[in-house]
Amino acid sequence: MLSIKNLKAQIEESGIEILKGINLEVKPGEVHAIMGPNGSGKSTLASVLAGREDYEVTDGSALLDGEDLLDLDPEERAWAGLFLAFQYPVEIPGVSIANFIKTAVNAKREHLGQDPMNAKDFLKTMRAKMEMLEINPKFMQRYVNDGFSGGEKKRNEILQMAMLEPKLSILDETDSGLDIDALKIVANGVNALKGTDNSMIVITHYQRLLNYIVPDHVHILYQGRIVKSGSKELAKELEAKGYDWIKEEVALQETNA
Amino acid sequence: MSDFQKTIDEVTQSEYKYGFTTDIEMELAPKGLNEDIIRLISAKKEEPEWLLEWRLKAFEQWKKMTEPEWAYVQYPKIDFQDIHYYAAPKETKKYKSLDEVDPELLKTFEKLGISLNEQKRLTGVAVDAVIDSVSVKTTFTEELNKKGIIFMSFSEAVQEHPDLIRKYIGSVVPMTDNFYAALNSAVFTDGSFCYIPKGVRCPMELSTYFRINAANTGQFERTLIVADEGSYVSYLEGCTAPQRDENQLHAAVVEIYAHKDAEVKYSTVQNWYPGDPETGKGGIYNFVTKRGICDGDRSKISWTQVETGSAVTWKYPSVILKGDDSIGEFYSVAVTNNHQQADTGTKMIHLGKNTKSRIISKGISAGQSNNSYRGLVQVAKKADNAYNFSQCDSILIGDKCGAHTFPYIESANASAQVEHEATTSKIGEDILFYCNQRGIDTEKATELIINGFAKEVLNELPMEFAVEAQKLLAISLEGSVG
């Protein structure tokens, strides 16, 4: 599904290197969690994969089903099946969620040479997905993220994910700013969307989200590198011991090297 | 240069889509403005003596006036002696059916997407099309006649309803109101007249398409709408203009008179040639005076405008709220791109008791343009419980344009309530990246964001106009966002 090899990226303006050679393999149907202390490069990795302009890729590749994402514009990456649930979704006043999602769905269909979805079919699909995610149908008439609570914003992200049916979803700190109830609702949504042919990367600072979205693999990102990978037990270890032991381990390795 | 900047620059190069001209034989008066020219215009129009006198009086006043310079716009001095004040298609006879109309002209309408045939057949909109000063065709007159509604060109109305014209012309915008209104009063050549009798609800949207179509021809349209007691009318005005090298002056006057319990809704979509994208050269100067008076109690006047064209716009559709409980509204979307400049807004003059006004202004600036909102809310001593709400929002595309807000509030009555809200935002990389990530390319994203931003105003437009307006916003800003 996703194959990242030796990915290096820096901030375009300052030239400061943030990702220092990331390697990651994600297979269809897998859920990977990427954890790490603040400033380790987690969100940068999400941004670079989605094609944010603030970063410049200096080395490596990131293939999605054999196609190098790094050669594509952000919208082309979306058409190729990449979805990023934003940590801070933007507000678009005056644009209803229904209109926004319909535009997105039809943009992809247009790219694939398909006719745009008609209003009736679209609403039918939308209602079905909203029911599955336990979202009130009135929600779709609201303006995108305009005046939304943290929980509503994240629910909107999950709804878009459900409608766009991506191959690979990256959830960037989806748990940040959520109380436990909102967290559960979002996690239930994500679990409902999990399938055998789509994959997810869950980026989180805390382990608590992983109580609800159970990962197949856990990776620890530190100083721009994946320094440790393991099963879901690794997350629990982190929860118990914090990040300090990882930092010490890395420091030790560097001294030895 | 970042991609963001590159795309912004691309917008600046997006071509004006309606840049074509129609090849129709023109009859031109010599350039220049003097009494003789005014007499010529009046004679060509076979006007009554009183109207000629009125014109000449306006001309005398105009000569004493100076061009206003307070607006936040810059343009080279206009040489008023270098303009043709009269141009008419040589073929001026009236037509019984569309078949008799010059096919060239019909083609122009088709290019504009407003073929009279289509209009007639499909939409039920009566169209009074003005091409360079002379009214060519009026449709649906019969149906309107049955209701006693008068909708015709201004020149025809002067012939057929001189009493009404004499009574109302200059009653809302006095000839000496301002420099351009005075000029218009002296040299106006045609326009539209509309009268809705007592208690009549006009069954269709009345629509006028203006089109400037002769090089160096100043356009001086005059529109007069009178809504008698308890009547209702929705009036649409839409414009596009062909591409030109020399500046074209447009100084129109629109007057609306609303009697007791009458309601007038006036909607405009303006898309005149904005000038060369690189230099700003050749665009239309749009110096318009639009004003309505809510003369009777409980009357209502609502202005809605979508302004996307012109090199320089100077325009303040206003309402004088004289009748008690009368209502004035102003909904505006003004787009400026490249080198366009717009100084537009409204005046709400509260004279009567319990009068209400509402101002929603949405300014969109791109390229190197400047977009200003200028508004006055004035509450007179006797206007007890007057209420105004103003919302002025600006959105910036790129970092070379400007948005400015000049709200003036003058209240002489302590019971008045005046609220003003203003916001400025930017179509930034964040919002575009968000859309891109959902598979929406930058052009579509801009369209989406801008239409969302302008939604409150677009919602006020009649349905078919709203669709056209949305498309226009998209065309005006094509590629403007990176």
Side-chain angles (χ1 to χ4, degrees), chain A residues 52 78-79 82 84 157 160, chain B residues 430 434 436-439 455:
Chain A
R52 201 175 193 115
W79 300 332
L82 177 77
L84 172 61
E157 295 294 285
Q160 292 177 42
Chain B
D430 276 359
Y434 187 79
N436 291 161
Q437 209 299 306
R438 298 303 184 247
K455 191 169 205 165

Side-chain angles (χ1 to χ4, degrees), chain A residues 70-114:
Chain A
L70 306 177
D71 296 336
L72 305 176
D73 286 336
E75 59 268 28
E76 293 170 326
R77 299 182 196 201
W79 300 332
L82 177 77
F83 182 90
L84 172 61
F86 283 66
Q87 185 177 3
Y88 305 109
V90 300
E91 298 182 6
I92 315 179
V95 178
S96 70
I97 289 177
N99 186 16
F100 182 75
I101 296 182
K102 194 174 167 201
T103 306
V105 166
N106 284 336
K108 185 173 178 179
R109 292 177 70 94
E110 190 186 330
H111 172 73
L112 295 174
Q114 298 168 337

Side-chain angles (χ1 to χ4, degrees), chain B residues 129-336:
Chain B
V130 177
I131 279 225
D132 276 351
S133 323
V134 170
S135 192
V136 178
K137 185 75 197 172
T138 308
T139 53
F140 283 95
T141 322
E142 271 176 45
E143 202 178 332
L144 295 173
N145 279 347
K146 272 187 231 155
K147 297 241 173 198
I149 294 166
I150 303 167
F151 179 45
M152 55 178 58
S153 75
F154 206 92
S155 332
E156 281 175 315
V158 167
Q159 302 301 330
E160 291 180 32
H161 303 281
D163 295 346
L164 282 173
I165 297 289
R166 197 169 184 177
K167 183 174 173 188
Y168 288 103
I169 191 172
S171 65
V172 189
V173 180
M175 62 165 72
T176 55
D177 187 79
N178 66 68
F179 184 81
Y180 296 109
L183 180 65
N184 176 289
S185 302
V187 302
F188 73 88
T189 42
D190 215 333
S192 295
F193 174 70
C194 172
Y195 173 81
I196 316 290
K198 271 183 198 173
V200 170
R201 201 179 158 84
C202 186
M204 61 186 87
E205 318 269 357
L206 297 184
S207 152
T208 308
Y209 274 85
F210 295 98
R211 185 157 162 84
I212 297 175
N213 204 31
N216 273 333
T217 305
Q219 280 280 298
F220 305 96
E221 315 282 356
R222 202 157 179 115
T223 301
L224 176 59
I225 299 171
V226 179
D228 217 327
E229 289 180 16
S231 67
Y232 168 84
V233 64
S234 168
Y235 192 93
L236 317 181
E237 173 207 88
C239 325
T240 56
Q243 193 154 356
R244 286 292 173 192
D245 278 328
E246 285 167 73
N247 288 312
Q248 291 181 307
L249 172 64
H250 186 93
V253 169
V254 176
E255 297 181 278
I256 300 176
Y257 206 104
H259 286 279
K260 205 169 77 180
D261 296 305
E263 182 179 346
V264 179
K265 215 170 146 47
Y266 191 104
S267 312
T268 308
V269 170
Q270 188 267 109
N271 180 31
W272 283 318
Y273 181 53
D276 183 273
E278 299 286 325
T279 62
K281 193 172 176 276
I284 302 291
Y285 293 170
N286 186 22
F287 303 144
V288 183
T289 307
K290 288 185 168 178
R291 193 177 304 153
I293 184 166
C294 285
D295 189 59
D297 294 349
R298 296 172 302 279
S299 55
K300 181 177 175 185
I301 293 174
S302 185
W303 298 102
T304 304
Q305 60 175 25
V306 176
E307 302 280 321
T308 64
S310 297
V312 183
T313 297
W314 179 97
K315 181 180 177 188
Y316 314 91
S318 303
V319 184
I320 300 166
L321 297 151
K322 191 175 161 208
D324 291 346
D325 301 290
S326 59
I327 297 171
E329 292 176 335
F330 174 72
Y331 297 96
S332 170
V333 178
V335 181
T336 53

